[in-house]
Amino acid sequence: MVDFFTGHYAYWFTLILLCVGLYGIIFKRNLVKKTIGLAILQASVVLFFVSIASKWDATVTVIDKNIPVEQVESYLNPLPHTLMLTAIVVGVATLGVAFTLLIAIYNRYGTLDEQELLEEIQ
Amino acid sequence: MIESQLPAIIALTFVLFALLIPLFGIWNRQVAQPLAVLGSGLAATFSLMAFITYLNTGSIRYFFGGWQPPVGIEFVYDGLSGFILLVINSVAFLTLIYARRPGHMEFKGKEPAYYALAMLMMLGFNGMVLTGDLFNLYVFLEISSLSSYALISIGNKPAPFAAFRYLIIGTAGGTLYLLGVGYLYTNTGTLNIIDMSAMLPMLVDNSSVVTALILMIVGIGVKAAIFPMHGWLPDSYTYASTPSSTLIAPIGTKVAAYVLFRIMLYLFGVELTDAVVPISYIVGVFACIGIIYGSVMAIAQTEMKRMLAYSSVSQIGYIIMGLSLANPFGFAGALLHVLNHAVMKACLFMITGNLRYKEGHSNISLFNDSYRKKYPWTMASFSVAAISMVGLPPLAGFFSKWYLALGTIDNSNWLFLAVIIVSSLLNAVYFFRILEKVYMKNPDADTQGETAKDIEYDDVSFSMMSPMAVLAIGLFVIGFANAAIVTILLDIFPI
Amino acid sequence: MDLSIVPLLAILVSLAAVPLILLSSAKPNLREAWTIIAGLIKFSLVLTLLPGAIEGNSVELHLFDLAPGLPLALNADPFGVYFAVIASGLWIFTSFYSIGYMRGAGEKKQTRYFASFAVCLSATIGIAFSANLLTFIVFYEMLTLATYPLVIHNEKREAINAGRKYLAFTLTAGLLLVAASAIIYHYTGTIEFTPGGVFGDIELPRNTMLVVFILFLGAVGVKAGIMPIHGWLPAAMAAPTPVSALLHAVAVVKSGVFAVTRMVGFIFGTDVMATYGLNDILIVLAGATIILASLIAFAQDNLKRRLAYSTVGHLSYIVLGIALLTPLGMTGGIMHIAAHATMKITLFFCAGAIYVNLHRTEISNLNGIAKVMPWTMGAFAVGSMGLAGIPPINGFFSKWHLILGSLEGDMIIPVIVLIVSGLLNVGYFFPILYRAYFNKGEGLEKYGEASPFMVVPIMITATLSVLFGLFPNLFFNFFDLAVLVSESLFNGGTP
């Protein structure tokens, strides 16, 4: 039973971060905080992928002169890392677009509070 | 020789033009739109060539860099992706032709940026449809999404806010999808759809696989505007500029629906999807709720774009319901409805755009019967599109409902059949209401003074009228030719 | 001689007239000429099919596949030819009458009127010649759409509301028909009209059969005016009288009872109907409609509304005849299609002539008008006596067969219903005649008989009613055709 919690640290952290991110997106009224929530949500998934790439006693996916490349068990799985490089970049681009939109919203309405904005628009 | 590379060429056309448009745009802003038309035209032509090749010789698989799966990424051009590709590229071509004048009016001076974004968005959509790799699908999903957020934000005052809300919920959806992909990767070790579909039957009881499926469906469901994750759609379609909504509405949700087809019917297959949890049925029920909800909300709207947005929520429900039936007729009906709805919705948004261009608004309560004289062709196209949306033969809309009905009966799913019938009636209400206003003098109004003779013909220019007319005539053509189309679609169904 | 193209030509000739009508809107005489020419050509084309139909032959024409395995196909079988002769023949009279009415009443939008009429007749002939349910649905919906502009013709609030009610009823009916056809297609694999029914040896559970029958009944019952879904008929009297005359006494409602006959005889088949007791439902509904409609007719002071309820009642005579499932009953029902058509059209024509000539619509205002409009009222007398079942008018002949048919089936209640209804008919027609002939009129000094354009058709249809009563096979062998059709439905095979 304890092992259910201690043996799966990575997954629990992923879950906690996911929930924090979702909480931020849904329950926070300030649009910047929603964006932060989004970023945390994306970070949780990145964490998940990176965690599944890990192996016991393995080193990072940079060729080490001492360890031959064919010795696969000594290197982490590089594929998820590669995927996450792309995903992080996507995340950054998304944040960029989000902030641009926030600036546009602020310029037009003068507020970044979701409640006030909804009232303005109706 | 070129045939085997067509999948890549179609996508790369958009990349090429996405680069060329800003380049040439710096030199001369007017060149942006023609280049966009050229780009999408080329892509549409290539899609047609590829589809003909597919009909003759079968699927095309293109491996990027020559790397075979599971190491490399591939584009798979089979019947399903070919059909969807043909539909979205053709509609995009017509829409970009249309976009010239409304664009001029709504975002003058920003054309190069706008059309470059449009090209990128089409790149994203084409990539989503073509790719055979799950993570690659996420990348293209995000490409298309980011471009569409930007395109939507170019519009009226509330547009950036609508785009922001779409961004938040859309990216959250994409992230959930990515998590699902992660689960599948952990279990199967591959990201290639064809490879994975061979492995999944052995993993059917694994709860993480089922969870992955649910995550992916929820994630893509946000993009496909399945109830209850449709909340972003009405605002986004309403406040976006005319060219944006005309481009995104017919295409965006369809591509997301395609992804669901791919996941539920090809990757997992009909039996596996329902192996642990009756997912198809649950998705179908949500689709039905969406159909009714969309129709009812559409009736309550006074602004035409918003009404069309809710109508889109309803129509995508038909497609998802057809998917959930998982039998040949439902499949054919759903795909036929992808084609029909893309054509009808593009035509309807173009009509709305025409009205906004000429009258400055698209508020239904202000419609009056002078429109009949001023915009005869626009209103005629509206009549055709409205009759097709309601589902009266021999127009295209009838046939997709016919096949969906046959599909529901094959499954003895009487609830879904009843939903189809009731929603068609609801559709009739909100469309015929506009036809009444436009074609007949308001009997309660006491303006006897303004006679119809004073009103002159004032319909839109050729570049705005011809795509709309082509689409309206297309509805007749599809209606009469649908036997041929459906025969192809029934063949595509994966047993 | 290869006749197979004739059914198609008969349908198309009035469609071809539509653009000609629209283009001649500035020259009324030319425009009306197109209508008359199209009507004459259509009638002659249908007549060429008559000799073959009397022999029992059908002319088939397979156009193209609307859906895989489901063609758009025409089949001019004896029953179809019967209906087509009635509809196309009476259209000619209605066209002449329309000229007199529309010009006499100074109606606007005559071009729209005549053009819509032409499309309606096309659709009616299409319904008559449909070979399968899908073709039938196409033309059925076409009829709905084409009659809408006619119903809302004068565009006043009352007409628009009537139009909405009409659409609500008929669109729902169309959708129910689609659902029912899809279900039949699913279970039997065919939706061709086959004498004796499509079920063959297929047995279905009673509940399924009941549900399918109710769906069909809902679909065809709307146009056939079966209570309680008859509500659109009285409301549609807001249309101009020629519309009421042809469409709501002849074309639309007769399409409804035509559909009922097709349903009973050619889809379900007399054996299936009897086995599952489905005809009992029809008998009850028809009988109730006959009595109730006749009673409600009493309470109407508006002449057209009284005629409308009379129509509802008489349509159920036909339904009752069909539902009796005896050869004589069926013959009677089919004969009443023709008989009621000629008599009712006479009555409606008279009502229109009275309105145009004297601007009176309420029965209480019709005192003494027989002195100024002798021919019109004479014809009215003939028509109403015929509907009451008084020999030698053709109404008596068909009613006699209905009574015989019900005795043949050992059912006494229909006989009672028919006799009581005959008395009620007298009861609500006689006061009109009494007022017209025997009461003192006021304000009639300056009026004369109505225009010859109206009076001549009235006299012809009235005379035809008498002639057909005396010689049922005169000109068109209606009686032989009716017997032929009804025999074919009971031998379960050869037409």
Side-chain angles (χ1 to χ4, degrees):
Chain A
M1 184 61 210
V2 179
D3 183 60
F4 182 65
F5 289 100
T6 57
H8 300 92
Y9 282 126
Y11 300 144
W12 282 107
F13 275 124
T14 306
L15 182 62
I16 293 171
L17 279 179
L18 197 101
C19 292
V20 170
L22 279 176
Y23 168 78
I25 292 176
I26 298 175
F27 291 105
K28 288 291 172 188
R29 282 172 44 170
N30 188 307
L31 296 185
V32 179
K33 293 187 183 173
K34 282 186 192 282
T35 317
I36 297 175
L38 186 67
I40 297 176
L41 182 69
Q42 292 181 309
S44 74
V45 177
V46 171
L47 175 63
F48 172 77
F49 269 83
V50 170
S51 66
I52 64 177
S54 61
K55 305 177 194 169
W56 288 113
D57 300 325
T59 179
V60 293
T61 57
V62 178
I63 294 184
D64 191 328
K65 280 202 279 287
N66 304 328
I67 308 174
V69 180
E70 295 75 30
Q71 199 178 324
V72 176
E73 322 77 64
S74 310
Y75 285 111
L76 293 179
N77 187 348
L79 182 61
H81 289 264
T82 326
L83 302 180
M84 285 307 104
L85 282 177
T86 315
I88 292 171
V89 172
V90 169
V92 170
T94 311
L95 284 182
V97 175
F99 287 135
T100 317
L101 290 175
L102 287 179
I103 294 177
I105 297 174
Y106 189 73
N107 282 340
R108 295 186 188 197
Y109 287 99
T111 172
L112 282 180
D113 185 288
E114 189 190 25
Q115 247 354 85
E116 292 174 28
L117 283 169
L118 281 173
E119 278 157 28
E120 278 266 343
I121 294 176
Q122 295 319 336
Chain B
M1 198 223 96
I2 194 178
E3 281 84 21
S4 59
Q5 297 174 332
L6 272 174
I9 292 179
I10 297 172
L12 289 175
T13 314
F14 284 114
V15 176
L16 176 67
F17 279 86
L19 291 172
L20 284 180
I21 290 177
L23 230 50
F24 280 90
I26 298 177
W27 162 57
N28 179 358
R29 279 205 293 266
Q30 305 302 323
V31 157
Q33 193 255 359
L35 274 180
V37 170
L38 179 62
S40 54
L42 279 176
T45 319
F46 288 137
S47 314
L48 186 59
M49 279 170 62
F51 197 67
I52 296 175
T53 315
Y54 162 75
L55 288 176
N56 292 334
T57 53
S59 310
I60 310 172
R61 292 175 71 172
Y62 180 85
F63 305 109
F64 275 95
W67 294 101
Q68 299 284 328
V71 178
I73 292 180
E74 62 166 336
F75 272 3
V76 175
Y77 188 101
D78 66 357
L80 181 62
S81 50
F83 181 75
I84 303 277
L85 214 56
L86 191 56
V87 172
I88 64 177
N89 285 338
S90 317
V91 172
F93 172 61
L94 289 170
T95 312
L96 286 171
I97 295 178
Y98 173 84
R100 182 181 191 72
R101 281 176 187 262
H104 226 55
M105 188 175 86
E106 299 193 23
F107 46 79
K108 198 175 173 67
K110 302 184 204 151
E111 281 102 343
Y114 186 88
Y115 289 109
L117 281 171
M119 288 288 111
L120 282 176
M121 189 177 76
M122 289 310 297
L123 166 69
F125 285 139
N126 276 269
M128 274 171 81
V129 173
L130 281 168
T131 188
D133 179 292
L134 285 174
F135 185 77
N136 199 231
L137 202 149
Y138 171 73
V139 173
F140 280 116
L141 175 71
E142 290 300 322
I143 293 178
S144 65
S145 302
L146 288 176
S147 318
S148 53
Y149 304 149
L151 284 176
I152 289 175
S153 67
I154 303 176
N156 336 355
K157 194 172 172 209
F161 183 60
F164 182 80
R165 295 184 76 189
Y166 180 24
L167 185 151
I168 295 289
I169 193 169
T171 315
T175 315
L176 287 178
Y177 167 80
L178 187 59
L179 191 59
V181 171
Y183 283 18
L184 283 179
Y185 174 71
T186 318
N187 282 305
T188 59
T190 176
L191 289 168
N192 185 295
I193 293 180
I194 298 180
D195 277 356
M196 203 187 281
S197 62
M199 287 191 231
L200 279 175
M202 299 178 254
L203 294 165
V204 66
D205 291 334
N206 195 325
S207 59
S208 64
V209 169
V210 176
T211 317
L213 178 60
I214 296 178
L215 279 172
M216 287 165 88
I217 291 178
V218 171
I220 300 294
V222 170
K223 289 277 162 189
I226 303 178
F227 188 92
M229 298 166 291
H230 66 286
W232 57 271
L233 203 151
D235 279 341
S236 301
Y237 285 11
T238 312
Y239 298 125
S241 62
T242 300
S244 303
S245 33
T246 319
L247 189 57
I248 299 177
I251 303 179
T253 44
K254 311 297 170 308
V255 177
Y258 156 83
V259 176
L260 283 175
F261 271 92
R262 195 54 94 185
I263 296 173
M264 283 171 69
L265 291 181
Y266 287 76
L267 180 61
F268 279 81
V270 177
E271 302 89 33
L272 287 184
T273 313
D274 291 335
V276 179
V277 182
I279 291 180
S280 303
Y281 187 69
I282 296 176
V283 170
V285 171
F286 275 112
C288 286
I289 300 177
I291 295 176
I292 300 291
Y293 173 78
S295 305
V296 170
M297 291 300 287
I299 296 177
Q301 302 306 318
T302 51
E303 212 268 307
M304 191 157 160
K305 276 177 94 166
R306 220 178 166 81
M307 181 190 94
L308 291 178
Y310 278 109
S311 168
S312 295
V313 172
S314 174
Q315 299 294 310
I316 199 78
Y318 283 120
I319 300 172
I320 304 296
M321 183 178 82
L323 165 65
S324 73
L325 293 172
N327 58 39
F329 276 128
F331 181 78
L335 282 186
L336 188 62
H337 204 67
V338 167
L339 171 62
N340 288 344
H341 182 239
V343 175
M344 294 188 290
K345 249 325 140 37
C347 191
L348 285 169
F349 270 105
M350 284 183 190
I351 291 165
T352 317
N354 287 353
L355 289 176
R356 289 183 86 101
Y357 187 76
K358 288 283 174 180
E359 296 273 326
H361 71 88
S362 52
N363 190 329
I364 300 176
S365 50
L366 297 176
F367 285 7
N368 58 64
D369 76 310
S370 63
Y371 288 19
R372 182 175 56 88
K373 283 241 152 64
K374 284 196 274 188
Y375 319 120
W377 296 111
T378 306
M379 285 302 134
S381 306
F382 180 78
S383 312
V384 172
I387 294 176
S388 181
M389 288 285 287
V390 172
L392 294 174
L395 290 172
F398 168 77
F399 293 103
S400 42
K401 292 198 182 166
W402 169 256
Y403 293 113
L404 284 174
L406 284 177
T408 59
I409 297 172
D410 272 354
N411 277 7
S412 296
N413 207 324
W414 310 111
L415 171 67
F416 288 5
L417 181 64
V419 166
I420 295 180
I421 295 178
V422 170
S423 60
S424 302
L425 285 171
L426 293 173
N427 283 3
V429 172
Y430 60 80
F431 277 113
F432 278 40
R433 186 179 56 178
I434 300 183
L435 283 175
E436 249 183 37
K437 269 197 180 295
V438 167
Y439 276 112
M440 291 180 275
K441 279 193 263 307
N442 188 347
D444 301 327
D446 35 34
T447 51
Q448 300 296 330
E450 183 187 295
T451 58
K453 289 196 189 56
D454 300 336
I455 300 173
E456 301 250 317
Y457 173 85
D458 191 26
D459 214 339
V460 293
S461 63
F462 184 72
S463 76
M464 288 169 80
M465 180 134 52
S466 43
M468 181 185 73
V470 167
L471 287 173
I473 296 175
L475 286 174
F476 278 104
V477 171
I478 297 173
F480 282 117
N482 84 91
I485 301 177
V486 169
T487 323
I488 299 176
L489 292 176
L490 285 172
D491 276 339
I492 301 177
F493 183 68
I495 310 297
Chain C
M1 183 173 89
D2 181 23
L3 289 174
S4 61
I5 193 83
V6 173
L8 182 61
L9 286 179
I11 299 177
L12 291 179
V13 69
S14 54
L15 276 184
V18 171
L20 294 168
I21 294 175
L22 290 173
L23 288 171
S24 330
S25 70
K27 305 196 191 84
N29 288 333
L30 180 61
R31 177 187 64 201
E32 264 72 292
W34 292 125
T35 308
I36 306 286
I37 295 175
L40 288 170
I41 299 180
K42 192 193 276 282
F43 188 53
S44 351
L45 283 172
V46 173
L47 280 182
T48 58
L49 294 169
L50 191 56
I54 298 175
E55 305 278 313
N57 297 334
S58 309
V59 177
E60 287 186 28
L61 182 64
H62 183 127
L63 286 170
F64 54 82
D65 270 7
L66 270 184
L70 288 174
L72 186 70
L74 301 175
N75 183 9
D77 66 346
F79 191 36
V81 174
Y82 178 82
F83 184 39
V85 168
I86 299 173
S88 51
L90 288 174
W91 185 33
I92 302 178
F93 295 126
T94 315
S95 304
F96 279 109
Y97 179 83
S98 295
I99 297 175
Y101 181 92
M102 299 301 268
R103 294 186 185 191
E107 293 270 354
K108 299 187 266 295
K109 297 258 180 29
Q110 292 192 28
T111 310
R112 181 175 76 186
Y113 171 89
F114 282 106
S116 308
F117 236 109
V119 179
C120 287
L121 259 299
S122 231
T124 313
I125 306 295
I127 288 177
F129 288 156
S130 294
N132 57 42
L133 272 172
L134 196 59
T135 317
F136 188 86
I137 291 173
V138 172
F139 286 114
Y140 210 62
E141 303 285 31
M142 191 169 144
L143 186 63
T144 302
L145 285 178
T147 45
Y148 178 72
L150 292 169
V151 172
I152 52 109
H153 181 88
N154 62 31
E155 292 184 13
K156 297 213 187 61
R157 174 50 61 191
E158 193 200 348
I160 296 188
N161 287 344
R164 283 190 189 169
K165 201 167 183 178
Y166 178 66
L167 273 186
F169 275 91
T170 45
L171 284 180
T172 314
L175 286 165
L176 289 177
L177 191 56
V178 172
S181 308
I183 297 178
I184 297 256
Y185 183 62
H186 172 79
Y187 282 115
T188 64
T190 173
I191 46 175
E192 295 247 336
F193 290 126
T194 322
V198 298
F199 279 95
D201 294 324
I202 303 175
E203 289 219 359
L204 289 177
R206 173 138 215 274
N207 285 337
T208 316
M209 214 40 151
L210 208 53
V211 167
V212 178
F213 182 71
I214 302 279
L215 281 177
F216 259 114
L217 195 56
V220 299
V222 167
K223 283 209 167 95
I226 302 179
M227 285 183 169
I229 40 183
H230 69 291
W232 62 275
L233 231 170
M237 292 297 121
T241 308
V243 175
S244 311
L246 185 71
L247 295 181
H248 299 134
V250 178
V252 170
V253 299
K254 291 299 166 25
S255 299
V257 292
F258 181 81
V260 171
T261 318
R262 283 282 197 218
M263 173 182 83
V264 168
F266 294 81
I267 294 283
F268 281 90
T270 45
D271 296 328
V272 170
M273 291 286 293
T275 319
Y276 291 88
L278 301 173
N279 64 325
D280 294 329
I281 304 176
L282 263 185
I283 293 180
V284 169
L285 284 175
T289 308
I290 295 175
I291 301 292
L292 282 173
S294 309
L295 287 173
I296 300 180
F298 268 109
Q300 305 302 315
D301 195 33
N302 181 297
L303 181 57
K304 278 177 74 174
R305 279 187 95 93
R306 187 174 285 201
L307 293 178
Y309 280 103
S310 167
T311 301
V312 172
H314 275 270
L315 289 173
S316 284
Y317 273 41
I318 303 172
V319 174
L320 184 61
I322 308 292
L324 289 172
L325 291 184
T326 59
L328 281 172
M330 241 193 232
T331 310
I334 298 177
M335 281 304 289
H336 204 62
I337 295 180
H340 177 252
T342 54
M343 293 186 288
K344 216 17 124 12
I345 208 174
T346 310
L347 293 182
F348 270 109
F349 280 172
C350 295
I354 295 174
Y355 170 69
V356 169
N357 209 20
L358 304 174
H359 300 293
R360 296 182 186 198
T361 53
E362 305 303 300
I363 295 175
S364 41
N365 261 342
L366 296 181
N367 294 317
I369 61 174
K371 296 242 171 14
V372 278
M373 302 179 73
W375 296 105
T376 308
M377 284 317 294
F380 193 93
V382 167
S384 40
M385 288 199 295
L387 281 177
I390 300 176
I393 307 166
N394 55 3
F396 166 74
F397 190 76
S398 44
K399 203 165 186 176
W400 178 243
H401 275 84
L402 287 175
I403 295 183
L404 282 182
S406 119
L407 289 173
E408 193 184 13
D410 296 320
M411 291 181 265
I412 198 74
I413 298 194
V415 179
I416 301 180
V417 166
L418 287 168
I419 295 181
V420 169
S421 144
L423 292 171
L424 289 173
N425 266 285
V426 172
Y428 62 72
F429 279 128
F430 189 63
I432 305 178
L433 293 172
Y434 187 80
R435 274 185 191 275
Y437 277 103
F438 299 119
N439 275 3
K440 208 89 170 113
E442 311 122 22
L444 293 171
E445 291 72 38
K446 44 190 164 60
Y447 291 108
E449 186 54 273
S451 121
F453 270 115
M454 286 194 274
V455 173
V456 170
I458 292 177
M459 293 310 297
I460 297 184
T461 51
T463 318
L464 280 177
S465 306
V466 175
L467 285 178
F468 285 143
L470 292 170
F471 311 109
N473 268 325
L474 189 62
F475 300 137
F476 306 119
N477 296 76
F478 277 152
F479 182 56
D480 286 345
L481 271 179
V483 171
L484 185 66
V485 173
S486 101
E487 303 269 284
S488 75
L489 294 176
F490 285 96
N491 294 339
T494 51

